[in-house]
């Protein structure tokens, strides 16, 4: 599922001339990605502060990866003609992929903890 959204974000990013609509569509796609991942794991949140801190760091890391991808292609555009036109596409794809992978781990952690608690209650009660 994350791959599908990352490819969709890359396609949306192929139109950098329309920056505002592209960014609005990208934000909507990212929110839909997070919603679908949460629904897939039955909205299982965890109260573990380390997991919540990891989720926050994942968001910052996704922004950093997107900025790094964008910067890399912009600088490569100084030597390779036309490659800088793909900078926004690469940034949206890599940032979306990182955010989606982290969200999947976060919700999977909550799901497994809830499943273990339910299983422990059935075995001991």
């Amino acid at each position: 599922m994350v791959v599908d959204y990352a490819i969709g974000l890359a396609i949306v990013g192929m139109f950098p001339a329309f920056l505002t609509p592209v960014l609005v569509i990208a934000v909507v796609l990212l929110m839909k990605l997070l919603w679908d991942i949460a629904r897939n794991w039955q909205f299982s949140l965890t109260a573990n502060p380390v997991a919540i801190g990891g989720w926050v760091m994942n968001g910052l890391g996704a922004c950093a990866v997107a900025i790094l991808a964008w910067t890399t292609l912009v600088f490569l555009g100084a030597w390779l003609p036309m490659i800088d036109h793909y900078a926004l596409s690469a940034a949206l794809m890599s940032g979306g992929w990182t955010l989606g992978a982290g969200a999947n781990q976060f919700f999977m952690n909550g799901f497994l903890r809830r499943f273990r608690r339910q299983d422990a209650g059935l075995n001991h009660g």
Side-chain angles (χ1 to χ4, degrees), residues 69-82:
W70 179 80
T71 306
T72 301
L73 287 183
V74 167
F75 283 138
L76 282 177
W79 292 287
L80 299 171
M82 301 292 288

Side-chain angles (χ1 to χ4, degrees), residues 6-124:
I7 291 171
L9 285 166
I11 292 170
V12 167
M14 294 298 288
F15 305 101
F18 306 107
L19 186 61
T20 302
V22 164
L23 293 179
V24 168
I25 292 170
V27 167
V28 169
L29 279 174
L30 286 172
M31 290 182 354
K32 178 78 166 100
L33 167 69
L34 296 176
W35 177 266
D36 286 344
I37 290 172
R39 189 179 56 179
N40 186 35
W41 292 109
Q42 301 172 356
F43 297 96
S44 298
L45 297 174
T46 181
N48 185 354
V50 174
I52 294 170
W55 170 242
V56 171
M57 295 306 288
N58 175 60
L60 293 174
C63 291
V65 166
I67 291 170
L68 183 62
W70 179 80
T71 306
T72 301
L73 287 183
V74 167
F75 283 138
L76 282 177
W79 292 287
L80 299 171
M82 301 292 288
I83 200 169
D84 57 341
H85 295 291
Y86 301 108
L88 182 60
S89 180
L92 290 176
M93 181 177 180
S94 59
W97 184 301
T98 306
L99 188 67
N104 191 40
Q105 289 293 321
F106 178 75
F107 286 111
M108 181 182 68
N109 184 22
F111 180 80
L112 292 177
R113 290 178 67 95
R114 185 175 70 177
F115 184 73
R116 271 189 255 142
R117 272 188 259 128
Q118 288 174 353
D119 190 36
L122 291 176
N123 289 336
H124 298 295

